[in-house]
Amino acid sequence: MTRPYLIGVTGNIACGKTAVMTELETLGATIIDGDLVYRDLTGPGSELVQRLVAAFGDQVVNADGSLNRPELRTIVFSDPEALHSLDRLTHPTIVDEVIRRIDVASTPVVATDGIKLLESRLGDECDEVWVVTCSSEQQRERLMTRNGVTRAEADRRIAAQPPVSEKIDRADVVIANDGTLDELRKVVCAAWTQSSALAASGRYLPHGYKTLVADAEIVQSEERVSNSLVVEVYYDYLCPYVYAGSLWVRDVKTALGDEVEFIWRSFPLEQVNSAEGDDWKLWEQEDTFVSRGLYAFRGAEAAKLQGPDHFINYHYSILEARHVEDKNIGRKNIVIEAARTAGLDVEAFEVALADRALMANIGKDYEHAKKAYGVFGTPTFVFPGGQAAYMKMHPKAPEEDAVAIWNDFVTTTVDRPYVHEIKRPSKPE
């Protein structure tokens, strides 16, 4: 059995993570409560308790050898550095145990929670991240009622955490918990319907796409948190259809602005067409391996480290080098020249280009494209909800027609899934 589809639930203190987890369990998910894992790992005489005693003193241990959690909370919530030390000591051990439990779960969907979910590597393991939010007034009242603390103490604990906006920036699903428990149940059920359908079909929410769930309704793409239609585009720089499609996409972006965002992802056709079998991976080959396009993909990953604008400049520069200037983009010096033309910091670019760790990102994009969407060619566009379509355009559409074609393409792909293929026959000569 493959690993279950993993939903990570996070949010700031007293926003309602536990209530969301309870509802997910009712709906059929296996629940791995990070706090319960923490309790299991801090039982009498445990190794983790011993490390905490060494860091914070004997006052954080009870007479039976278990962790004195109230005392530890008093220490860390009054000292940011102590809170940081606690996180550093506990989170790696907790995450290891959570992942172990995920791997042996028997249900298709697993949910795990934690305030620091996104600050640990567990966040990278999640197929979706749900962030639970509520108003600051409700957060304070809930904390005072639940923990029996004063208003001043509640405010102090809330202030000790980073703003929830930082979590929302990395969320896939935002759960608005500003009403009653019954209202929250309806909201969670709506989000679960979307997530469980994706899990059952082997699909995932596109990276960078946000769903806002409030009043038991999923806010669709034109109204969602980012206010942009976020579309993933899988590309191979050697492909002439990617060149024409990229020029078209640039015209669409220029015309529509913030209404649409394009996320470019690697899909090397050299891997698709390899005769070496599934065990052979292009991105694992040594630097001495002669490839027609691998260095161009490496350059894209290096360019991303300098920011999205620099990546886009590189993207079009390397496409022009290949399809206008007919250069060999499999050569390192041509890739560096394209980065220089694009206005990148060439010295930093070369350092990043030499880092083979970036190659894993190429493989990650490729494997996800195959597993989640069944991508077979480039360019393939993936819309929120997982609808995907391969588009061959050659030559580029006229600029004045770009948006009209885009609107037709979106409507056909997203709203008419029964349209499987449109292909023009070749005219006899």
Side-chain angles (χ1 to χ4, degrees), residues 331-351:
R331 293 173 55 187
K332 179 179 178 181
N333 65 309
I334 299 299
V335 169
I336 293 172
E337 179 185 320
R340 182 177 289 107
T341 301
L344 274 67
D345 180 334
V346 175
E347 183 176 350
F349 179 82
E350 289 194 56
V351 171

Side-chain angles (χ1 to χ4, degrees), residues 44-292:
S46 70
E47 181 182 344
L48 186 54
V49 168
Q50 293 174 29
R51 294 206 300 266
L52 293 173
V53 169
F56 300 105
D58 291 338
Q59 67 269 33
V60 301
V61 65
N62 294 314
D64 66 354
S66 63
L67 184 66
N68 187 331
R69 291 161 63 89
E71 182 63 31
L72 183 58
R73 279 196 297 267
T74 299
I75 294 172
V76 299
F77 278 118
S78 61
D79 182 353
E81 182 55 39
L83 182 59
H84 179 68
S85 296
L86 175 65
D87 293 341
R88 192 170 59 246
L89 284 168
T90 59
H91 281 174
T93 302
I94 294 170
V95 169
D96 286 345
E97 177 60 17
V98 168
I99 290 175
R100 187 194 68 78
R101 297 186 187 191
I102 291 167
D103 287 339
V104 299
S106 59
T107 58
V109 182
V110 171
T112 188
D113 69 338
I115 287 178
K116 296 287 187 178
L117 177 84
L118 295 174
E119 288 82 353
S120 72
R121 65 185 177 90
L122 186 57
D124 295 329
E125 299 283 341
C126 295
D127 298 306
E128 289 181 19
V129 173
W130 291 16
V131 173
V132 187
T133 69
C134 68
S135 68
S136 57
E137 292 80 9
Q138 286 180 318
Q139 186 182 13
R140 182 187 299 112
E141 291 299 322
R142 289 170 181 169
L143 185 56
M144 291 169 63
T145 301
R146 186 188 73 185
N147 290 54
V149 297
T150 64
R151 181 186 182 92
E153 175 63 15
D155 287 341
R156 185 170 67 85
R157 294 190 183 187
I158 292 170
Q161 297 178 334
V164 73
S165 59
E166 295 181 8
K167 292 181 171 66
I168 291 175
D169 285 343
R170 296 181 58 188
D172 298 301
V173 176
V174 182
I175 302 288
N177 181 24
D178 291 298
T180 66
L181 183 57
D182 283 342
E183 289 169 336
L184 178 64
R185 287 175 179 142
K186 294 176 183 178
V187 166
V188 173
C189 186
W192 168 263
T193 299
Q194 172 181 266
S195 300
S196 57
L198 290 172
S201 63
R203 294 186 284 116
Y204 300 81
L205 283 174
H207 306 302
Y209 168 65
K210 285 186 176 61
T211 297
L212 173 64
V213 188
D215 299 327
E217 293 184 0
I218 294 182
V219 181
Q220 299 301 325
S221 59
E222 62 269 19
E223 298 178 73
R224 65 180 178 274
V225 174
S226 65
N227 294 318
S228 298
L229 176 65
V230 180
V231 182
E232 294 179 294
V233 188
Y234 287 89
Y235 67 87
D236 185 316
Y237 286 126
L238 294 168
C239 179
Y241 304 121
V242 168
Y243 176 58
S246 293
L247 297 179
W248 169 55
V249 161
R250 183 165 62 184
D251 289 343
V252 171
K253 177 64 177 173
T254 298
L256 298 183
D258 292 339
E259 292 181 30
V260 62
E261 294 293 337
F262 295 97
I263 309 297
W264 297 91
R265 302 206 180 279
S266 304
F267 192 79
L269 297 176
E270 193 169 356
Q271 176 71 34
V272 176
N273 299 323
S274 171
E276 300 294 330
D278 292 340
D279 292 337
W280 184 86
K281 306 297 183 186
L282 175 67
W283 47 89
E284 294 177 355
Q285 303 310 303
E286 299 297 329
D287 290 349
T288 54
F289 176 76
V290 178
S291 166
R292 295 179 62 211

Side-chain angles (χ1 to χ4, degrees), residues 70 292 324 326 355:
R292 295 179 62 211
V324 177
D326 198 27
D355 183 3

Side-chain angles (χ1 to χ4, degrees), residues 244 247-252 255 393-406:
L247 297 179
W248 169 55
V249 161
R250 183 165 62 184
D251 289 343
V252 171
M393 177 184 290
H394 200 270
K396 179 186 87 70
E399 183 177 351
E400 63 273 14
D401 207 19
V403 173
I405 295 173
W406 173 253

